[in-house]
Amino acid sequence: MASAQDELVFLPLGGLGEIGMNAALYGFGPEMNRQWILVDCGMGFGGEENLPGIDVVYPDLRFIEEERHNLLGIFITHAHEDHIGALVEMWPRLRAPVYVTRFAAGLLETRRLNEPNAPKIELKEIAPGQHIKAGPFDIEYVPVAHSIPESNALAIRTPLGLVVHTGDWKLDPTPYLGSLTSEEAFRHLGDEGVLALVCDSTNVVREGESPSEADVSKNLAALIKDAPHRVAVTTFASNVARIRSVAEAARECGREVVIVGRAMERVADVATECGFLEGLPEFRSPDAFGYLPRDKVVALLTGSQGEPRAALARIAQDEHPDIALSAGDRVIFSSRAIPGNERAIGAIINSLVEQGIEIITDRTELVHVSGHPRRGELAQMYRWTRPKIAIPAHGEALHLAEHAKFARAQGAQEVVQARNGTLVRLAPGLAEIIDRLPAGRLYKDGNIVIAAGERALPERRKLAFAGIVTVAIAIDDRGELAGDPIVDAMGLPEKNRQGEIMLDLIADVVGDVLKGLPKARRRDPEAVETAVHRGVRSAVNEAWGKKPACHVLVVEV
Ligand SMILES: [Zn+2]
Ligand SMILES: [Zn+2]
């Protein structure tokens, strides 16, 4: 039973306004004393944001870190990195039990064993269909089809109503492996009465319905079968259905499968443990690739996103210790470029094509299908669940806005365009945004996690754009130079347009500036620093059209 002060609130901390780093809180109770559950704890990729040296971003969970005594549990919908990838880093700040399926638990565990200092996370394994009671919440795992095994929507029951948090899902009557999105289950929820539907927006801009994984599988099999020589297939390591289709296709035509890349090896191990690869011949290790006949092998590779250290990139550069491809071999990209990765992928494709290798992508062949619902599928979900409130989630601004329009057209009475940090009251009363709370991103920089506001990143960007000049000057107590100033530079062109050496030019300017300073001023290190700094930047700007960073070190001797 809810008391008069109780409220049910939704507070996304990641994933609304970007695709990635999903993390959403649901809270229940009176304003000053809410209890919370966290749904997903994912990471994002920094590559697209022009952040030199940052590959991974995490949601800023400050709000719930401070409230962690009221955090009842972390509920993971599925094992994609944008849903679990921040757990290892962020869990020690939260320390609440983490509910996961067996497959997700297996992946987290192998990762822990492979990462020194990874914390031992308190995992609670759940089964599909299971209910977990946590304070005022009753959370039911409802299986859905997606591009990784054991994906779930969550039916979150509270004294103030039922929220369906879809997680990532699609409709696929023949998913090849894994769960179906059950019409019956979602209709039942609809009959029970859905207060709010928090739903995947990734493909809301696409009409119709996604093709089935089974069709992809059929097509992949044909492409593997009629390949004259070696075949390499690159796909998302976590897509076990795809790994299985490739393995079955290989068996059909008498080829052996070699798994290449650590991420894929790990997934294959966990998938085997969970029984998803049952009945298939064992995979071969990469060193077998060299001696298997060219028409008797299929390599499954990591690196479909162009990651420079992954197997495919290294093979394209002919730098892989075990795997080499040659003219006439076929590489299938059973994947789609995540926005931001197109260039890196393009470079790999071009390099392979130059070597005479045949490339097949989803632009011309059905070799990949998204795991997210298109408009036709979304319409079904709205028909089944008939929510009073719709909250578009899992999307960039455009996706969320399109989804909001779409949800209204599907009959949702209230549509809330929430963003990371908006506190939405779902009940009682009309749904509305009642507060804005701290949210944002953290960056994984080397092995340190830093806040978005830190100086290091704008500095690094500046250095990348215009380099740096360093000047060291020694001055004695009479204001005389003790030896010649030392000038060095990084990231500047060697010569100006007239062919003069840039460093000489800078040294001359430093000399002139110092000469021009009255002796009394030269005894003031700060004054020297300012004058040299200004002189060097303006001289380089004149010569080059860019102003580098400039460090002036004045030493008093
Ligand atoms: Zn997913
Ligand atoms: Zn996702």
Side-chain angles (χ1 to χ4, degrees):
M1 275 293 286
S3 79
Q5 286 82 42
D6 284 343
E7 291 177 330
L8 171 61
V9 295
F10 170 65
L11 171 60
L13 294 177
L16 274 73
E18 71 243 309
I19 291 183
M21 57 175 231
N22 295 285
L25 287 163
Y26 291 91
F28 189 92
E31 188 188 341
M32 299 317 291
N33 189 25
R34 289 186 179 120
Q35 291 183 290
W36 300 92
I37 57 169
L38 176 63
V39 176
D40 290 332
C41 188
M43 67 181 208
F45 297 92
E48 65 203 81
E49 295 180 60
N50 190 19
L51 300 169
I54 307 291
D55 297 326
V56 168
V57 303
Y58 300 124
D60 185 340
L61 302 180
R62 177 161 23 137
F63 171 80
I64 193 63
E65 285 167 28
E66 284 162 18
E67 280 289 309
R68 81 169 207 220
H69 52 285
N70 285 321
L71 179 61
L72 302 167
I74 302 170
F75 296 83
I76 301 296
T77 59
H78 66 290
H80 274 147
E81 291 293 349
D82 61 321
H83 298 258
I84 64 168
L87 258 185
V88 169
E89 192 66 54
M90 304 304 279
W91 188 80
R93 308 180 185 200
L94 301 173
R95 299 195 169 273
V98 177
Y99 296 85
V100 281
T101 65
R102 186 174 167 208
F103 179 70
L107 284 180
L108 284 168
E109 196 55 18
T110 38
R111 179 139 155 216
R112 185 176 73 85
L113 298 175
N114 283 289
E115 266 178 47
N117 308 323
K120 176 114 179 85
I121 296 174
E122 186 189 341
L123 296 180
K124 307 246 185 222
E125 233 172 84
I126 58 97
Q130 192 176 330
H131 287 253
I132 299 113
K133 291 219 183 303
F137 300 95
D138 175 305
I139 298 104
E140 181 191 354
Y141 275 71
V142 185
V144 290
H146 185 43
S147 44
I148 188 169
E150 297 179 357
S151 295
N152 297 278
L154 300 181
I156 303 168
R157 292 178 176 86
T158 75
L160 285 174
L162 161 64
V163 178
V164 175
H165 183 106
T166 66
D168 298 2
W169 65 280
K170 63 180 285 194
L171 296 185
D172 189 341
T174 48
Y176 202 77
L177 183 157
S179 331
L180 292 169
T181 304
S182 152
E183 172 172 351
E184 200 198 343
F186 284 95
R187 272 190 190 284
H188 269 147
L189 293 170
D191 293 343
E192 190 180 326
V194 173
L195 172 68
L197 179 71
V198 177
C199 182
D200 186 348
S201 309
T202 315
N203 278 346
V204 70
V205 291
R206 303 183 74 179
E207 287 295 341
E209 282 165 24
S210 323
S212 169
E213 188 65 41
D215 298 328
V216 173
S217 167
K218 225 184 290 165
N219 212 36
L220 272 176
L223 288 165
I224 291 171
K225 193 164 174 216
D226 77 359
H229 300 299
R230 298 183 190 104
V231 181
V233 181
T234 182
T235 187
F236 299 102
S238 58
N239 196 330
V240 178
R242 211 60 66 71
I243 294 177
R244 181 161 188 117
S245 334
V246 169
E248 286 191 359
R251 183 179 56 187
E252 294 291 295
C253 51
R255 288 175 183 256
E256 300 213 53
V257 176
V258 172
I259 294 257
V260 194
R262 220 171 318 150
M264 200 160 307
E265 283 166 20
R266 278 186 216 166
V267 171
D269 285 346
V270 177
T272 306
E273 253 170 59
C274 293
F276 295 127
L277 300 175
E278 218 155 281
L280 291 169
E282 242 180 76
F283 295 135
R284 305 291 298 267
S285 64
D287 56 338
F289 189 86
Y291 59 76
L292 286 167
R294 274 181 89 181
D295 60 348
K296 290 280 174 279
V297 63
V298 176
L300 258 168
L301 309 175
T302 54
S304 67
Q305 294 306 307
E307 304 93 321
R309 290 178 296 272
L312 182 64
R314 294 167 67 198
I315 293 165
Q317 297 301 316
D318 207 7
E319 280 169 1
H320 197 280
D322 298 309
I323 313 291
L325 297 174
S326 41
D329 291 343
R330 175 175 283 181
V331 173
I332 302 172
F333 281 76
S334 186
S335 57
R336 165 160 299 142
I338 293 172
N341 296 338
E342 295 88 348
R343 256 187 214 240
I345 298 168
I348 289 174
I349 289 180
N350 285 323
S351 152
L352 292 167
V353 169
E354 293 289 2
Q355 297 169 51
I357 292 159
E358 183 195 9
I359 301 293
I360 291 171
T361 71
D362 72 336
R363 269 173 278 185
T364 52
E365 292 274 358
L366 180 61
V367 287
H368 176 69
V369 61
S370 161
H372 301 275
R374 297 188 187 177
R375 292 171 89 84
E377 296 157 82
L378 287 165
Q380 298 267 46
M381 182 57 83
Y382 278 91
R383 269 201 292 281
W384 296 342
T385 54
R386 292 151 277 150
K388 176 169 163 267
I389 306 164
I391 302 184
H394 204 286
E396 297 172 0
L398 169 72
H399 307 121
L400 301 182
E402 283 293 327
H403 191 164
K405 260 191 272 174
F406 181 85
R408 268 184 216 106
Q410 302 306 311
Q413 298 157 35
E414 299 166 51
V415 178
V416 183
Q417 294 212 47
R419 284 291 188 278
N420 299 339
T422 55
L423 183 70
V424 183
R425 186 179 54 222
L426 300 173
L430 288 180
E432 61 175 327
I433 294 172
I434 54 172
D435 203 354
R436 268 161 225 281
L437 296 165
R441 340 187 118 199
L442 303 175
Y443 300 124
K444 178 88 182 264
D445 188 19
N447 52 26
I448 302 171
V449 176
I450 63 172
E454 271 201 38
R455 273 172 47 189
L457 295 174
E459 281 176 0
R460 230 176 273 167
R461 212 159 24 212
K462 222 166 114 190
L463 290 176
F465 177 72
I468 183 166
V469 174
T470 309
V471 183
I473 301 161
I475 290 184
D476 66 19
D477 52 7
R478 289 165 301 145
E480 299 291 347
L481 282 180
D484 288 336
I486 299 170
V487 175
D488 203 355
M490 270 180 92
L492 273 68
E494 213 176 311
K495 295 173 185 170
N496 70 2
R497 288 168 74 104
Q498 287 72 39
E500 293 160 300
I501 307 283
M502 198 70 91
L503 274 181
D504 294 350
L505 220 121
I506 296 169
D508 289 348
V509 172
V510 172
D512 293 346
V513 169
L514 291 171
K515 239 180 273 160
L517 275 179
K519 237 186 208 179
R521 302 265 294 152
R522 270 193 253 149
R523 275 202 296 265
D524 173 3
E526 244 171 76
V528 173
E529 214 185 291
T530 312
V532 172
H533 185 264
R534 192 176 301 148
V536 167
R537 295 213 333 145
S538 97
V540 174
N541 187 35
E542 206 167 293
W544 183 25
K546 287 186 176 191
K547 283 186 181 171
C550 180
H551 282 179
V552 183
L553 313 165
V554 180
V555 188
E556 294 166 273
V557 293

